[in-house]
């Protein structure tokens, strides 16, 4: 079994740099506890790197990501930095396409001790995962917008292969969650099959995948109804699967349900590579003030350990993931810290140190 795992760390811009420091601190605190070494190597990328070096995602960084065991990513993009075509510098999209990271996994759950914007006491039960197809859909149009005399046309791409693999991924995830939680799983497909032929095909492929997983309950909803239901009764959902653009929008909505972007981790997974990053952006409004909530980054780090643990059959990493999750839960449940995002007065350093202190305590 490996005793050292190579992690390519791309902090990026704004609070990406601050929350990456938090992740590094937690990984080094965890090392002696689980007996694994993490060789975390800094890699340049992002909007500031574009300003400094004229390239947002250097070849050397791509190479390092390719050979690393996993990629840990902060956040990239700065409002005043634009590429030659006027669009934002978004290397995370390039990485998704380059490494075929087709499954965007965005889990959210409520944490004891932190308020949610929903009044219902059932908000305490929120525990769902949104699975976003990340390589086609409406984002296929990125860089391909067709300019005609009357305007610009962006095309949505829904393929048999791309849809089948993301639906299969969602059902397998629901099976794993069902086993872990000791209750039946459910996948809810989110589409707009009543309007678009591409989405009608998506639904047909979803239903074929559902037929292969009779042990998992399945249903479908239109994306507009889902926007309503995710506010009215989010605690009823388990796994959602959706097209790229719908997933982009609904990810922010579900992050809001549990109090803010600082609580929403994510993973972008392919068959060979895994990239782990907080769902939030570079938050220029709070960057450099030490106010960023590092929780999303720490939970993304836990997702990385879980993914690596399954991939390498390494129980120490699976234990490490549970330790981080448990430590995060504890610091909020005991009221030890409350992030600025929740009206509290604890920033990145306080939260990181509180989590690290829990990790040092040997049970
Ligand atoms: P992007 O387009 O990359 O998503 P954005 O500026 O639209 O970037 P975010 O950077 O995610 O979106 O910021 C949205 C809001 O959430 C901002 O007010 C920001 O301060 C807040 N926010 C985001 N992440 C955090 C965090 N980790 N801790 C505290 N507040 C955060």
């Amino acid at each position: 079994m490996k005793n050292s795992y190579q992690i390519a760390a791309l902090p990026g811009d704004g609070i990406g740099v601050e929350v990456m420091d938090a992740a590094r601190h937690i990984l080094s605190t965890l090392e002696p506890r689980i007996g694994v070494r993490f060789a975390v190597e800094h890699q340049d990328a992002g909007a500031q790197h574009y300003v400094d070096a004229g390239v947002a995602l250097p070849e050397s960084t791509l190479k390092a990501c390719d050979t690393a065991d996993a990629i840990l990513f902060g956040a990239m993009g700065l409002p005043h930095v634009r590429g030659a075509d006027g669009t934002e510098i978004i290397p995370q999209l390039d990485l998704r396409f380059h490494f075929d990271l087709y499954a965007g996994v965005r889990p959210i759950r409520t944490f004891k001790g932190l308020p949610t914007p929903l009044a219902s006491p059932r908000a305490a039960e929120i525990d769902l995962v949104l699975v976003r197809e990340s390589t086609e859909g409406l984002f296929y149009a990125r860089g391909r917008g067709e300019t005609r005399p009357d305007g610009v046309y962006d095309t949505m791409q829904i393929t048999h292969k791309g849809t089948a693999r993301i639906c299969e991924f969602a059902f397998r995830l629901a099976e794993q969650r069902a086993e872990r939680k000791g209750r039946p799983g459910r996948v809810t497909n989110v589409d707009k099959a009543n309007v678009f032929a591409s989405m009608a095909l998506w639904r047909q492929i979803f239903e074929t995948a559902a037929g292969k997983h009779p042990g998992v309950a399945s249903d479908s909803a239109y994306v507009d109804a889902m926007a309503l239901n995710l506010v009215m009764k989010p605690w009823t959902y388990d796994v959602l699967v959706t097209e790229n653009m719908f997933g982009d929008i609904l990810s922010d909505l579900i992050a809001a349900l549990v109090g803010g972007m600082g609580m929403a981790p994510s993973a972008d997974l392919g068959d060979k590579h895994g990239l782990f990053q907080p769902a939030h952006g570079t938050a220029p409004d709070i960057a450099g003030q030490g106010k960023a909530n590092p929780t999303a980054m720490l939970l993304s780090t836990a997702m990385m350990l879980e993914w690596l643990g399954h991939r390498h059959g390494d129980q120490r990493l699976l234990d490490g993931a549970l330790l981080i999750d448990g430590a995060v839960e504890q610091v909020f449940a005991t009221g030890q810290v409350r992030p600025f995002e929740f009206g509290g007065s604890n920033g990145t350093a306080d939260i990181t140190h509180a989590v690290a202190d829990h990790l040092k305590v040997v049970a």
Side-chain angles (χ1 to χ4, degrees):
M1 201 177 312
K2 277 156 87 87
N3 277 325
S4 176
Y5 289 86
Q6 200 82 24
I7 312 297
L10 284 63
D13 305 301
I15 66 165
V17 178
E18 300 165 39
V19 298
M20 181 64 81
D21 284 345
R24 294 182 82 120
H25 184 69
I26 291 304
L27 282 173
S28 60
T29 308
L30 199 58
E31 282 179 334
R33 179 91 194 258
I34 61 172
V36 173
R37 197 177 116 65
F38 299 105
V40 184
E41 274 185 20
H42 172 97
Q43 301 299 334
D44 289 326
Q48 191 56 49
H49 191 71
Y50 178 77
V51 173
D52 297 339
V55 54
L57 187 59
E59 256 322 298
S60 55
T61 295
L62 274 178
K63 214 176 251 172
C65 290
D66 192 21
T67 54
D69 292 306
I71 306 162
L72 205 49
F73 188 103
M76 294 188 193
L78 292 170
H80 57 279
V81 181
R82 301 276 155 171
D85 64 353
T87 60
E88 257 185 77
I89 306 290
I90 321 178
Q92 51 271 45
L93 288 186
D94 299 312
L95 284 162
R96 273 177 213 157
F97 284 91
H98 185 85
F99 291 118
D100 199 22
L101 307 175
Y102 61 88
V105 183
R106 281 95 194 276
I108 55 142
R109 63 186 202 264
T110 25
F111 283 83
K112 268 202 195 95
L114 291 178
T116 90
L118 298 182
S120 169
R122 294 206 63 190
E125 299 165 39
I126 297 173
D127 181 358
L128 63 87
V129 186
L130 185 143
V131 176
R132 165 187 176 185
E133 200 297 317
S134 299
T135 52
E136 41 187 58
L138 192 53
F139 278 70
Y140 165 81
R142 181 176 176 241
R144 291 190 175 93
E146 189 195 333
T147 303
R148 296 189 200 162
D150 61 339
V152 178
Y153 290 69
D154 282 330
T155 303
M156 165 126 84
Q157 179 196 48
I158 298 293
T159 68
H160 289 272
K161 180 179 164 229
T163 310
R165 70 179 179 176
I166 197 69
C167 291
E168 181 59 29
F169 182 97
F171 279 100
R172 274 191 273 117
L173 179 65
E175 283 165 356
Q176 283 164 18
R177 278 167 61 86
E179 199 182 316
R180 201 166 58 227
K181 292 170 187 290
R183 49 119 184 95
R186 175 182 172 204
V187 180
T188 303
N189 162 48
V190 184
D191 64 30
K192 193 73 185 167
N194 52 338
V195 175
F196 300 107
S198 55
M199 292 272 98
L201 172 67
W202 169 286
R203 184 172 293 204
Q204 203 184 316
I205 295 169
F206 170 78
E207 284 168 359
T208 304
K212 293 183 191 154
H213 297 270
V216 179
S218 66
D219 57 349
S220 289
Y222 299 131
V223 64
D224 45 336
M226 205 59 194
L228 178 87
N229 288 338
L230 279 172
V231 175
M232 300 299 281
K233 48 174 185 175
W235 45 85
T236 61
Y237 296 105
D238 178 14
V239 174
L240 310 177
V241 63
T242 187
E243 177 273 330
N244 208 340
M245 181 71 159
F246 295 162
D248 184 38
I249 298 166
L250 293 180
S251 306
D252 275 30
L253 189 154
I254 59 173
L257 296 177
V258 296
M261 296 305 290
M263 300 304 293
S266 83
D268 290 302
L269 305 180
D271 292 329
K272 296 199 183 96
H273 296 87
L275 180 152
F276 302 83
Q277 67 171 122
H280 60 73
T282 55
D285 53 335
I286 58 162
Q289 301 172 32
K291 285 185 175 171
N293 177 3
T295 306
M297 185 75 204
L298 301 185
L299 295 174
S300 304
T301 307
M303 289 176 81
M304 176 181 81
L305 296 186
E306 191 187 351
W307 179 78
L308 280 171
H310 285 303
R311 224 174 144 70
H312 294 273
D314 191 338
Q315 186 60 40
R316 298 168 304 175
L317 297 175
L318 298 175
D319 292 345
L322 289 177
L323 283 169
I324 296 178
D325 272 349
V328 167
E329 266 171 28
Q330 279 295 311
V331 299
F332 295 128
T334 55
Q336 208 180 330
V337 283
R338 180 172 283 214
F340 282 102
E341 236 183 343
F342 290 85
S345 57
N346 298 110
T348 320
D350 287 352
I351 298 168
T352 308
H353 288 127
V355 172
D357 284 346
H358 273 273
L359 290 176
K360 281 182 205 146
V361 179
V362 179

